[in-house]
Amino acid sequence: MADTLIIYYSLEGNVDFLARDLAKKLNADLFRIETVKNYPKKGLFKFLHGGKDAISGFKPELKTTLPDISLYKSIVIGTPVWAGNPAAPINTVLDELDFSGKKVAAFASSAGGDAVKTLEIISSKVRNAEVSLTESFKNPLKNIDEAMEKLDAFAKKI
């Protein structure tokens, strides 16, 4: 069993891409969050539905039970940025898990600006632990070289 678990939500594949590569670099386990009700992937409804849920702090129901994080020393949380916030499924994770005694890191992927606000929100909602390391990525699937360089540096600090 690995010492690190990466818990992440990905809608369009950017966070999935980062999480999978990071897991290889860290020899970490992966847990991809899936919601009972899927979010739209295209069009206006994607932004309206996802953004509204993220801003309101909505906690969607998950398809599977969250993993037992007591088995890990480090937890990495990955999310896309939705309306300047973590994706709504991350709210469910942060509400349900107790991070006591864990080293916690977080990363976020955005289509535009940086993810400082998103990462600050995650840091403020992690229960009983401090987020010691964060990283922001812009369009990683469109900027693979830049993303890999940042991901390598991020992995070395975890």
Side-chain angles (χ1 to χ4, degrees), residues 2-158:
D3 287 342
T4 302
L5 174 65
I6 301 169
I7 300 173
Y8 71 100
Y9 178 77
S10 185
L11 183 65
E12 296 178 333
N14 285 288
V15 176
D16 184 65
F17 168 73
L18 294 168
R20 289 180 182 281
D21 197 75
L22 185 60
K24 289 177 190 171
K25 294 176 187 321
L26 299 175
N27 192 30
D29 290 340
L30 282 171
F31 182 83
R32 182 176 181 152
I33 301 162
E34 293 184 51
T35 56
V36 170
K37 186 175 178 183
N38 292 328
Y39 282 92
K41 290 186 179 184
K42 295 180 181 178
L44 184 61
F45 284 112
K46 170 187 161 188
F47 296 103
L48 290 177
H49 188 58
K52 176 187 67 68
D53 283 359
I55 291 169
S56 70
F58 180 68
K59 300 171 188 97
E61 183 180 353
L62 305 183
K63 278 186 180 178
T64 58
T65 304
L66 290 170
D68 179 0
I69 65 170
S70 69
L71 306 170
Y72 299 93
K73 292 180 183 176
S74 299
I75 306 295
V76 180
I77 301 166
T79 184
V81 176
W82 287 4
N85 292 270
I90 295 298
N91 294 330
T92 304
V93 171
L94 296 174
D95 186 60
E96 292 186 15
L97 294 181
D98 182 341
F99 295 87
S100 296
K102 305 298 173 205
K103 180 180 176 185
V104 182
F107 69 91
S109 171
S110 68
D114 64 35
V116 172
K117 177 184 169 195
T118 299
L119 294 166
E120 287 173 352
I121 291 168
I122 290 172
S123 294
S124 71
K125 291 184 176 183
V126 165
R127 288 191 304 142
N128 300 317
E130 228 177 89
V131 177
S132 59
L133 181 64
T134 62
E135 188 59 79
S136 174
F137 297 87
K138 291 180 191 172
N139 291 314
L141 289 172
K142 292 181 181 175
N143 302 301
I144 292 175
D145 291 340
E146 178 185 330
M148 290 300 93
E149 187 176 316
K150 285 178 88 170
L151 197 63
D152 284 342
F154 183 63
K156 288 176 184 171
K157 294 176 186 175
I158 293 176

